[in-house]
Amino acid sequence: MSPGLDVPLSSKLALLIRRMRDRDGKAPSTRSIAAATAETPDGKPALTHQVVNDLLNGTKDNPSVNQVAGLARAFEAPIAYLLPGYNGLTSLGVYERQPAAREALRLIHDLGETGAAELLEAAREIRLRHNKSDLDIPEVPTLPETVEPPRPGRRRRLSFTEAAERAVSDLEGT
């Protein structure tokens, strides 16, 4: 995912959900995500669980400003990441959480490409001093693949053909 590429909001939310898995590998429910969109713990959520579900499935892809802010709260992600064209979760996270990074960018504002190049070179030197390569920083932090176990509850609705096959199987005892 390179900057400027139009990554769908549903894909960004899917990545953020993967980051929120609990120890058992289970993703949060749409109801818990909706509850976490509230400005205060006991406040009114910015989204309903149905709107969260629609955003996750991609059937809705244009949330309001308040809904985007609520999603950012729920997923503990930078608001800008949820906007079209802003895909660098790593850099946006640094920008949002590190005042010194914002100050560094402010200071090179009027220095043009030369100032940006010097800042970049200084950052690479600092990384080398800390024994870190500048090539292994992903735009979006990679996550270990986990398989979510099926959730207990109501079985999915079967098609007529599937229901007939299951009935035959039950009658034959197989």
Side-chain angles (χ1 to χ4, degrees):
M1 288 188 234
S2 62
L5 214 60
D6 195 19
V7 177
L9 178 61
S10 59
S11 297
K12 292 178 179 182
L13 294 177
L15 174 99
L16 293 174
I17 281 182
R18 286 183 42 220
R19 292 178 57 199
M20 294 179 67
R21 291 184 187 272
D22 63 12
R23 290 184 193 144
D24 298 332
K26 292 182 182 175
S29 69
T30 55
R31 290 187 189 275
S32 64
I33 293 170
T37 64
E39 287 188 46
T40 61
D42 295 329
K44 182 180 177 195
L47 294 94
T48 64
H49 74 278
Q50 185 59 50
V51 172
V52 171
N53 193 49
D54 289 346
L55 290 167
L56 290 171
N57 293 331
T59 55
K60 178 179 168 112
D61 62 357
N62 192 15
S64 69
V65 172
N66 290 336
Q67 290 173 334
V68 170
L71 286 170
R73 273 191 299 278
F75 288 110
E76 297 176 2
I79 292 175
Y81 179 65
L82 301 174
L83 300 176
Y86 293 90
N87 304 324
L89 184 58
T90 302
S91 56
L92 289 169
V94 170
Y95 181 82
E96 188 173 272
R97 293 181 185 97
Q98 309 255 346
R102 290 192 299 275
E103 181 66 9
L105 291 174
R106 187 187 68 78
L107 290 173
I108 66 162
H109 163 69
D110 58 353
L111 298 178
E113 284 190 36
T114 307
E118 289 177 26
L119 180 63
L120 185 59
E121 186 59 36
R124 286 187 173 133
E125 288 175 12
I126 293 168
R127 289 191 62 78
L128 284 174
R129 281 198 312 264
H130 289 274
N131 295 323
K132 298 197 182 251
S133 168
D134 64 330
L135 302 175
D136 61 354
I137 305 168
E139 186 175 298
V140 175
T142 54
L143 301 168
E145 286 295 324
T146 58
V147 177
E148 184 171 343
R151 293 184 179 195
R154 192 171 71 184
R155 295 190 330 197
R156 91 176 159 82
R157 183 173 268 169
L158 302 175
S159 70
F160 182 77
T161 305
E162 291 171 324
E165 289 171 355
R166 182 172 285 166
V168 169
S169 173
D170 288 347
L171 286 172
E172 292 176 349
T174 57

